[in-house]
Amino acid sequence: MNVSSVLIAGGGMAGFQTASSLRELGYAGDITIVDASTAPPYDRPPLSKDYLLGSSTIEHLAFAKPEWYVEKNIALVLGSAITALDPDSGTVTLANGRDLCADVVVLALGGAARKLPLDTGTASNIHTLRTVEDANALHAAISVGTRLLIVGAGLIGAETASSAATLGATVTLVDPFEPPLVPVVGLDMARYLHAHHAGSGIRTIQGSLTQLIADDSGDYVAAVLESGERLDIDQILVGIGITPNTQLAVAAGLEVDNGVIVDSNHRTSHPRVFSTGDMARTRTADGELARRNEHWESARLSGTATARGILGLEPDHADSHWFWSDRAGIHLEVAGDMSAAAESVFRGSTQDDSFVLFRVNGSTLVAAASINDSMAVRAARRIIAAGTAVTAADLANPAVNLKKLTRGIAS
């Protein structure tokens, strides 16, 4: 198919990267990014950190300056959501009634924050954190002494707890798992991270809510735990994951199963529609449906892969899974699958300011997680991607240069 125009629905990392990669790969046709936000495409991870703290602005979060879009000849259509997609004609209809048409449509609509089942939907003091508007509302609601209940101690919940405590809030973090995040960081690192909250004055509770109590205005003033304990609160943040925004795809008749189903080129069940980022779910060559990834790096790589797919290019070699998180003065990085069957090997100790936890299966490095040591994870990613043989002794020994291990040079 001759592609003279591409319309990208969604201005998050995956959508932006699709547009950027198309130009980098030499595509000269029309590119349009459509997004419901009035802000040009911007980065989401800082929303729970610098932006919430007030030390960053929406201009700092922007992926590119306005002149970049002019230089790259990429049109932005902002401030109106897409309400319908006709895949046969490549036409999308906006909430303002406008129709736009392209040879290829890319769905990069991300996901929506899951709602708390107990929430009636009438309270003004319950929050989620997915957009700059969400962050603005949460920041305005927090001041010194604000009693903030955070439900869900995953990455967003934990990062926001740290920022809110810095702003002077009294933070309680509730999660049904003890410790949280085991599937993504492994048990040892999960224990370390969760215990770290106490140093910021954050109370952590293992459990679930059974009731939310509202006042006459409809705002929540207390939450009751399954233990029977009542927590008096001023604000609530819900951080219990996302659901992919597949409504448009479902209505358009695309194949959907906890995400829009795509092949290795990110093409959906309709030949002129692609999907990328958090909302896309890949069917592998053997027919298996892969797990959706909801991290920044995954979205970036997904965007690049989508651009290559549109242009009929083979996918790049897949890099190892990688993400990061910042909270209370510590920087976490993870590469690979920390939940895979493997032996834990520490370089350093959890008592140190920085350390690395490797996961090793025989001579194969399957994953690594570090605190305040980005270079170690960078080396680990190269080792994992190349399949370079390693030994537990070399990984544990701080005298062994990890960079040399990437070249197969052992001690």
Side-chain angles (χ1 to χ4, degrees):
M1 179 176 65
N2 181 38
V3 179
S4 62
S5 57
V6 177
L7 185 147
I8 300 168
M13 167 50 74
F16 174 83
Q17 188 61 47
T18 300
S20 179
S21 292
L22 282 169
R23 288 296 187 238
E24 289 171 5
L25 292 168
Y27 177 69
D30 294 338
I31 300 175
T32 302
I33 298 175
V34 181
D35 197 272
S37 174
T38 57
Y42 62 89
D43 210 9
R44 264 60 170 182
L47 293 178
S48 60
K49 299 179 280 287
D50 290 347
Y51 188 84
L52 185 60
L53 288 169
S55 57
S56 183
T57 66
I58 186 62
E59 289 75 21
H60 294 138
L61 270 56
F63 288 130
K65 295 182 181 299
E67 52 266 31
W68 182 87
Y69 295 95
V70 176
E71 176 189 336
K72 300 297 183 181
N73 191 26
I74 296 173
L76 295 179
V77 178
L78 304 175
S80 189
I82 296 175
T83 58
L85 163 65
D86 178 357
D88 291 335
S89 65
T91 301
V92 299
T93 301
L94 308 188
N96 61 14
R98 182 181 178 188
D99 286 338
L100 299 173
C101 187
D103 293 327
V104 164
V105 175
V106 179
L107 299 179
L109 298 167
R114 283 196 176 96
K115 305 296 184 182
L116 199 62
L118 293 171
D119 181 25
T120 63
T122 59
S124 65
N125 64 334
I126 187 165
H127 306 265
T128 56
L129 187 52
R130 289 288 292 172
T131 67
V132 69
E133 292 81 10
D134 293 338
N136 289 340
L138 183 60
H139 179 83
I142 295 175
S143 59
V144 175
T146 298
R147 296 169 298 182
L148 175 64
L149 170 63
I150 299 180
V151 183
L155 296 177
I156 293 294
E159 291 173 354
T160 306
S162 173
S163 297
T166 300
L167 292 171
T170 300
V171 182
T172 302
L173 189 57
V174 176
D175 195 280
F177 299 103
E178 179 67 41
L181 288 175
V182 172
V184 291
V185 301
L187 180 59
D188 294 317
M189 187 61 79
R191 284 173 173 161
Y192 168 83
L193 291 169
H194 203 50
H196 195 76
H197 287 303
S200 300
I202 298 166
R203 182 188 178 194
T204 59
I205 300 174
Q206 179 186 7
S208 300
L209 303 186
T210 59
Q211 184 182 5
L212 290 172
I213 300 172
D215 61 13
D216 291 340
S217 72
D219 283 350
Y220 296 120
V221 295
V224 179
L225 299 170
E226 58 189 350
S227 65
E229 180 181 358
R230 172 183 165 129
L231 301 172
D232 293 325
I233 56 177
D234 299 309
Q235 302 288 333
I236 305 174
L237 172 71
V238 181
I240 54 175
I242 68 168
T243 55
N245 287 325
T246 58
Q247 300 91 330
L248 203 64
V250 170
L254 304 181
E255 184 181 4
V256 171
D257 185 348
N258 187 30
V260 179
I261 306 304
V262 299
D263 62 17
S264 60
N265 294 310
H266 286 263
R267 193 185 300 271
T268 71
S269 56
H270 194 286
R272 70 189 299 169
V273 181
F274 290 70
S275 186
T276 190
D278 292 350
M279 71 179 299
R281 189 178 186 194
T282 302
R283 176 177 280 122
T284 62
D286 59 7
E288 294 291 323
L289 289 178
R291 184 179 66 183
R292 287 186 304 103
N293 289 315
E294 299 173 1
H295 299 300
W296 185 94
E297 177 72 352
S298 177
R300 186 184 70 82
L301 294 173
S302 178
T304 297
T306 301
R308 295 183 67 86
I310 292 169
L311 299 179
L313 303 174
E314 288 299 312
D316 277 339
H317 174 70
D319 200 355
S320 62
H321 179 67
W322 171 74
F323 70 91
W324 81 94
S325 178
D326 295 293
R327 62 177 84 172
I330 61 174
H331 177 71
L332 165 74
E333 289 196 29
V334 176
D337 183 0
M338 292 293 290
S339 64
E343 172 192 359
S344 290
V345 177
F346 278 92
R347 174 175 286 217
S349 161
T350 57
Q351 304 303 311
D352 299 332
D353 290 337
S354 64
F355 65 91
V356 189
L357 171 60
F358 297 102
R359 297 283 289 167
V360 188
N361 187 348
S363 62
T364 301
L365 178 63
V366 297
S370 75
I371 296 296
N372 300 329
D373 193 343
S374 298
M375 296 300 292
V377 172
R378 182 179 300 178
R381 292 176 71 187
R382 293 175 61 186
I383 293 170
I384 294 168
T388 306
V390 295
T391 68
D394 281 337
L395 293 173
N397 185 356
V400 174
N401 189 325
L402 290 175
K403 190 174 181 180
K404 289 185 177 180
L405 291 184
T406 67
R407 302 194 296 270
I409 304 174
S411 59

